[in-house]
Amino acid sequence: METIPEGWLQFLFVAVPVLSLVGTLMGLRTARRLEKRRLREAQKNDGETRERSDSKLD
């Protein structure tokens, strides 16, 4: 059985953790952006009067 060349091992030991870190940072950034958007929409909706959708049933 052949061994994996040293260059490929070094690449894998560096590339896999770096790509994992980049993916995690991008996910956190997206989550923060979505949270900010939800908060803005919630603040915007607090000023509006809301009617119940079933009010016509009474």
Side-chain angles (χ1 to χ4, degrees), residues 15-33:
V16 171
V18 168
L19 289 175
S20 177
L21 181 62
V22 168
T24 300
L25 291 175
M26 289 176 65
L28 289 172
R29 194 173 120 193
T30 301
R32 182 177 46 200
R33 196 174 338 137

Side-chain angles (χ1 to χ4, degrees), residues 4-5 11-12 18-19 22 31 40 44 48 52 58:
I4 299 175
F11 173 76
L12 290 175
V18 168
L19 289 175
V22 168
R40 271 196 314 261
K44 184 176 105 178
E48 300 175 2
R52 292 180 51 158
D58 292 333

Side-chain angles (χ1 to χ4, degrees), residues 12-57:
L12 290 175
F13 283 135
V14 172
V16 171
V18 168
L19 289 175
S20 177
L21 181 62
V22 168
T24 300
L25 291 175
M26 289 176 65
L28 289 172
R29 194 173 120 193
T30 301
R32 182 177 46 200
R33 196 174 338 137
L34 290 174
E35 182 182 6
K36 284 182 182 179
R37 184 184 305 164
R38 280 192 213 115
L39 288 174
R40 271 196 314 261
E41 289 179 6
Q43 289 173 349
K44 184 176 105 178
N45 290 336
D46 283 346
E48 300 175 2
T49 57
R50 292 186 221 147
E51 293 183 17
R52 292 180 51 158
S53 61
D54 61 350
S55 62
K56 294 181 181 180
L57 296 176

